[in-house]
Amino acid sequence: MKVVTLKSPGGLDQLQVVEREAPGEPGPGEIRVRVHASSLNFHDYGVVSGKMPTEDGRIPMSDGAGVVEAVGEGVEAFAVGDAVVSTFFPYWLDGPARVGDFKTTPGDGVDGYAREQVIRPATWFTHAPKGYSHEEAATLTTAGLTAWRALVVDGHLKAGDTILTLGTGGVSIFALQFAKAMGARVISTSSSDEKIERLKQLGADHTLNYKAEPEWGKKVKALTDGQGVDHVIEVGGPGTLPQSIDAVRIGGHISLIGVLTGRGGEVPTAKLMAKQARLQGLIVGSRIHQQEMVRGIEASGVRPIIDSRFSLEEIADAFRHEEAGRHFGKICLSF
């Protein structure tokens, strides 16, 4: 079978496609999955670029979707032929957050899904949404579940709420789609007028070009009659957090998800305290959260936005496309 490995210390030119023996038969509690798709995330780029060091020879990619080929003894949740999708934290099955690092995350602390076949415990996967392609399913493990947890699990989103999304990355677009499907209003930002038009097509009620409106937090507040938004999908980090605090309502919720503008910086603590807002960090979610999201997707009909598809052999080109930042929606590997 074909497998992608990453030579230490990382870098796109250190990705290699190699041939390895097929994994054989699953043991008790395990399933063998023929992987057909993966999707690129900022986290995956951090690993393959060498910015987040991993072991020499690591198989990258956190997201994997495919078909169950064989089931081991005692497996009842899956049958041969089922379409499945991987989980980001394989050992966080349910309950409150219990993982604060990536030691167990496929494609980082353990081998991931840039390969044609894999044997893993059945609990490392959930069913994919009915009617989804493998590429669509592969977008859910990281980006989809992060947006779902931010809004639904942590934010308790309800119809009539107003949310603010920043940029057009996978998490932000999923948040826009989930929010609209659940009857919320959405304000979205981008630095590209072309991407802003696409955000409008997806249902954004208001859009802002943050380069033209550097004080966009005040503008968001004005768009909400001076109240502010109920939820902010904060993917920027220290460079955007002050504006997000301006934009959120008193007692609102800010999901701190990304560090696109850096890993450290000043936080306007007095303003955050005055807003009495909840600033909550999060990393993806649990297996039960993913199962709940799949049910929500099947009920609402939300479909991921896929920008482009690359083959397994084109994995470096796929990451170069991500690096360029011109994409809208998810970049997928299809194999």
Side-chain angles (χ1 to χ4, degrees), residues 18-316:
V18 298
E19 287 285 340
R20 289 192 180 170
E21 288 187 11
E25 296 302 316
E30 295 179 331
I31 57 175
R32 187 177 76 231
V33 176
R34 171 58 167 93
V35 184
H36 285 287
S38 185
S39 78
L40 278 62
N41 299 286
F42 185 72
H43 180 89
D44 298 305
Y45 177 74
V47 173
V48 299
S49 65
K51 295 177 181 177
M52 300 174 67
T54 188
E55 288 184 17
D56 183 53
R58 173 68 72 229
I59 300 173
M61 307 308 292
S62 297
D63 302 359
V67 176
V68 176
E69 288 187 321
V71 299
E73 182 184 349
V75 174
E76 297 180 353
F78 300 106
V80 172
D82 284 353
V84 295
V85 58
S86 65
T87 57
F88 190 86
F89 289 124
Y91 300 103
W92 181 17
L93 303 183
D94 54 23
R98 59 187 81 233
V99 189
D101 56 42
F102 304 110
K103 292 177 182 176
T104 61
T105 296
D108 189 340
V110 299
D111 283 336
Y113 296 102
R115 54 173 130 181
E116 292 183 314
Q117 285 179 304
V118 65
I119 290 177
R120 286 288 181 259
T123 51
W124 285 41
F125 288 85
T126 71
H127 288 281
K130 292 181 178 66
Y132 261 36
S133 70
H134 297 306
E135 292 86 358
E136 288 175 320
T139 68
L140 300 177
T141 296
T142 304
L145 188 54
T146 299
W148 176 270
R149 180 183 165 197
L151 290 176
V152 179
V153 180
D154 295 345
H156 308 294
L157 178 72
K158 61 184 184 300
D161 282 358
T162 302
I163 78 162
L164 171 65
T165 66
L166 308 185
T168 55
V171 173
S172 296
I173 291 177
F174 265 119
L176 164 58
Q177 293 178 288
F178 286 148
K180 293 305 298 181
M182 297 178 73
R185 291 184 290 268
V186 180
I187 302 171
S188 297
T189 74
S190 174
S191 62
S192 162
D193 289 337
E194 181 183 350
K195 290 181 178 180
I196 280 174
E197 287 306 310
R198 297 197 64 183
L199 289 169
K200 291 178 181 177
Q201 292 169 14
L202 287 176
D205 298 275
H206 298 284
T207 54
L208 292 169
N209 187 314
Y210 61 79
K211 284 190 175 177
E213 293 271 3
E215 297 290 312
W216 46 265
K218 294 177 181 176
K219 181 68 173 177
V220 168
K221 196 172 178 184
L223 287 170
T224 55
D225 298 323
Q227 297 299 307
V229 298
D230 299 287
H231 311 276
V232 181
I233 303 300
E234 172 52 78
V235 297
T240 53
L241 185 56
Q243 292 298 318
S244 292
I245 293 172
D246 276 344
V248 76
R249 69 165 170 83
I250 295 172
H253 175 236
I254 302 173
S255 293
L256 185 60
I257 294 164
V259 290
L260 297 177
T261 62
R263 293 180 174 271
E266 292 188 12
V267 176
T269 50
K271 186 179 292 184
L272 180 62
M273 184 174 66
K275 280 290 182 83
Q276 302 173 68
R278 179 160 55 104
L279 176 62
Q280 182 167 356
L282 73 146
I283 308 173
V284 197
S286 70
R287 184 173 189 260
I288 192 69
H289 294 155
Q290 185 160 308
Q291 291 171 318
E292 291 167 349
M293 174 184 66
V294 168
R295 288 199 296 271
I297 286 170
E298 290 177 342
S300 66
V302 167
R303 306 295 291 241
I305 304 301
I306 296 179
D307 172 88
S308 49
R309 295 169 173 83
F310 293 80
S311 70
L312 194 60
E313 292 86 352
E314 297 172 316
I315 185 170

Side-chain angles (χ1 to χ4, degrees), residues 5-11 14-16 47-48 50 53-58:
T5 62
L6 177 68
K7 288 181 64 178
S8 184
Q14 300 298 312
L15 289 165
Q16 297 180 321
V47 173
V48 299
T54 188
E55 288 184 17
D56 183 53
R58 173 68 72 229

